[in-house]
């Protein structure tokens, strides 16, 4: 059976040539970056909420910060209100 996952060998090769990373390290970096950008808006909001909350921030600060971060994502989602962000986290 053929492996149908896209190959990112050219990017891994570029990282090996242009950095001090070994091939295995470069491949892990590529996979980590792809996983980061594969995250849905809802997953991102929940993850950032947990991270900021564990850092001691309160919800008022957390939701304002997340709202400010979202437009800067690689593929920015539509603008979400603070209420919509709360509903993503709390249902």
């Amino acid at each position: 059976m053929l492996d149908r996952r896209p190959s990112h060998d050219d990017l891994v090769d570029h990282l090996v040539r242009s950095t001090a990373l070994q091939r295995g390290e470069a491949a892990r970096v590529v996979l980590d970056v792809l996983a980061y950008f594969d995250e849905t808006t809802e997953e991102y909001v929940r993850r950032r909420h947990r991270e900021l909350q564990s850092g001691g921030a309160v919800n008022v600060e957390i939701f304002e910060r997340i709202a400010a971060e979202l437009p800067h994502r690689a593929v920015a989602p539509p603008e979400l209100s603070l209420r919509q962000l709360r509903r993503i986290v709390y249902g």
Side-chain angles (χ1 to χ4, degrees), residues 16-83:
V16 169
R17 284 190 310 271
S18 63
T19 68
L21 296 174
Q22 298 296 314
R23 186 161 189 78
E25 295 167 324
R28 281 193 305 277
V29 168
V30 169
L31 292 176
D32 284 348
V33 169
L34 291 173
Y36 176 83
F37 286 114
D38 194 37
E39 194 174 42
T40 67
T41 299
E42 290 79 9
E43 291 167 338
Y44 176 80
V45 169
R46 289 183 190 109
R47 178 178 59 80
R48 286 298 289 147
H49 182 269
R50 282 191 308 272
E51 291 170 354
L52 295 169
Q53 194 173 47
S54 70
V58 295
N59 278 344
V60 172
E61 298 166 347
I62 291 171
F63 291 117
E64 287 178 3
R65 182 159 174 189
I66 292 171
E69 291 174 355
L70 283 173
H72 302 286
R73 299 275 297 159
V75 177
E79 186 173 338
L80 299 173
S81 69
L82 298 180
R83 180 180 177 164

